[in-house]
Amino acid sequence: MGRNAIGCAAIALTMVSAPVQAQEAPAGPLSVDIVYKGDVVGVAAGEARGVRYLDNIDLLAALDLDRAVGWRGGTAFASLLNNMGGRPNDIAGTLQGVNNIEVAGADLLLYQAWVQQNFADDRLSVLVGKYDLNSEFYANDAASHLIAPAFGIGSELAATGPNGPSIFPRTDLAIRVRAGDERQYVQAVAIRAPRGIADTHGHRSTLFVAEAGRQGMLSFTVGGWAYSRRQPRIIPPGVTTGPGEAASHGVYVSVETDLAGQADQPGHWRAFARAGWSDGRTTPFAGGVQLGVTGHGIVPARPDSQLSIGVASADLSTPYRRANPAGEPALTGSEGMVELTYSDRVLPFLTLQPDVQYVRRPGGLRDAEDAVVLGLRAIVAWKAL
């Protein structure tokens, strides 16, 4: 994760453009990037079959305020997000989703817009503005290459409330404080929940998250989260708002470790393991586990080649399963999936990424036919400045 203002902006770009390789530092104080993702996703086996096309355009701008106007230790970052296209999960029918750029409907949004101030030789920073929680919290570099949403932020947090926390595609205002260096850190954020999460009196909630970690050949993080107000309960079918409210909170841990090679060098393999737990009343999930491994430069003649394998399982909570209405299909204890994906930069501006996912019991339905999801992602990246 980013340790200073420029690093934080770079992480934001990485989250939306992976596996596009890191660009050279801009000549001037302003850096502008445009990243287009287009996905063809087909459900080849399961309860239903079909093909969808969806896309995602990001316009990202980072400004070094020190170099621009003499604001020592300051950085500004903003990004616009435009999404159009189909919804493959309408076919696959999973609770966790199958594609990390799928949205409910076409929209053009101001995705992030924040200012960060560094202190104490970059060992302390404060960020204020419109912010994606998952750009720094509950995130793993080794998992970022995978396309299934469960490998982004844990499903037990992502599925809280009818509009989710402040993550892709809808974000809101935040204050984030971070202390540490390249080796170890602690950080905390207070972030307003996007519109749609409210109690019975119409008040919007604030999500508080705290995380501590250590980075290196062996990295680990531990974090916890809680909403300031009680949140709507979630019931079947799918992720549906039910009667009543409950306190919404949870914890998570993650570990990453090198398996072979050296970072930023061909032949580098890194494994990850994550687990999260929640109250299970304001989300369908009592918890989830994700495991995987990513290799960089796995083809000797292709230094930009990447291969990732991930396994994810989300456990349905007891309150969620007990709330299953009469006449609805019976629920089981979990929904699981396996993903295999490979990417390579075939042109200076173009990366292609075929992907295959096998989903066990989509929707957590006991008698649902397992699904096979095939996809091809094209990433086109331009550096305007």
Side-chain angles (χ1 to χ4, degrees):
M1 297 300 101
R3 302 294 182 267
N4 52 46
I6 296 298
C8 192
I11 286 296
L13 173 60
T14 301
M15 293 299 293
V16 297
S17 63
V20 176
Q21 301 300 306
Q23 304 291 330
E24 295 181 359
L30 177 64
S31 174
V32 178
D33 293 87
I34 303 172
V35 180
Y36 175 82
K37 290 181 183 178
D39 291 4
V40 177
V41 181
V43 180
E47 297 290 326
R49 303 185 184 191
V51 179
R52 295 288 187 270
Y53 181 80
L54 61 161
D55 65 1
N56 184 96
I57 303 174
D58 293 283
L59 173 63
L60 308 105
L63 180 63
D64 184 334
L65 294 172
D66 189 0
R67 299 173 65 188
V69 297
W71 180 347
R72 185 174 178 82
T75 294
F77 179 79
S79 63
L80 292 175
L81 177 67
N82 187 78
N83 293 88
M84 299 180 66
R87 299 189 305 216
N89 200 50
D90 287 354
I91 306 171
T94 76
L95 285 173
Q96 301 184 88
V98 296
N99 190 284
N100 57 14
I101 64 169
E102 181 174 351
V103 295
D107 211 347
L108 173 64
L109 301 168
L110 176 61
Y111 182 47
Q112 295 197 81
W114 48 255
V115 175
Q116 179 173 285
Q117 178 64 54
N118 284 15
F119 305 93
D121 295 326
D122 295 338
R123 294 190 299 273
L124 175 67
S125 68
V126 178
L127 178 151
V128 179
K130 193 174 174 68
Y131 174 73
D132 178 358
L133 173 70
N134 195 216
S135 65
E136 293 184 299
F137 290 80
Y138 209 158
N140 300 83
D141 289 344
S144 63
H145 185 225
L146 292 154
I147 289 176
F151 297 108
I153 192 168
S155 299
E156 77 284 350
L157 174 53
T160 51
N163 209 37
S166 181
I167 58 174
F168 176 91
R170 294 190 177 275
T171 59
D172 217 302
L173 298 177
I175 299 176
R176 189 272 287 142
V177 178
R178 182 184 181 99
D181 53 30
E182 294 291 337
R183 295 288 297 174
Q184 53 194 3
Y185 69 92
V186 293
Q187 60 183 8
V189 65
I191 189 165
R192 191 167 65 172
R195 294 189 182 278
I197 299 181
D199 65 13
T200 54
H201 304 289
H203 299 298
R204 294 173 68 185
S205 186
T206 298
L207 174 62
F208 297 97
V209 188
E211 181 181 292
R214 183 175 178 85
Q215 306 296 313
M217 293 181 61
L218 175 63
S219 302
F220 65 86
T221 61
V222 57
W225 56 270
Y227 283 91
S228 63
R229 296 180 180 273
R230 296 169 71 85
Q231 296 297 291
R233 291 176 180 264
I234 300 299
I235 62 172
V239 184
T240 304
T241 302
E245 297 173 333
S248 185
H249 50 82
V251 296
Y252 59 89
V253 295
S254 69
V255 178
E256 285 191 12
T257 185
D258 288 346
L259 297 180
Q262 296 181 353
D264 302 321
Q265 297 295 323
H268 180 226
W269 288 86
R270 191 162 174 86
F272 69 90
R274 313 190 317 174
W277 299 268
S278 79
D279 58 277
R281 293 175 173 83
T282 60
T283 167
F285 309 110
V289 176
Q290 302 90 38
L291 310 169
V293 61
T294 293
H296 298 263
I298 63 168
V299 179
R302 310 292 305 178
D304 295 321
S305 59
Q306 286 192 72
L307 177 71
S308 293
I309 304 172
V311 179
S313 178
D315 295 330
L316 274 61
S317 70
T318 299
Y320 180 80
R321 287 186 283 119
R322 286 177 176 172
N324 197 26
E328 289 292 326
L331 296 172
T332 187
S334 64
E335 176 186 87
M337 58 88 62
V338 179
E339 179 180 357
L340 172 65
T341 191
Y342 171 85
S343 71
D344 201 352
R345 184 158 54 169
V346 296
L347 293 171
F349 58 88
L350 175 64
T351 296
L352 296 180
Q353 183 175 359
D355 182 80
V356 58
Q357 300 176 33
Y358 176 82
V359 184
R360 177 69 169 162
R361 298 192 183 99
L365 303 179
R366 185 181 62 194
D367 298 323
E369 184 179 348
D370 296 349
V372 176
V373 182
L374 306 177
L376 176 63
R377 169 168 289 181
I379 305 174
V380 183
W382 298 272
K383 177 166 285 294
L385 286 175

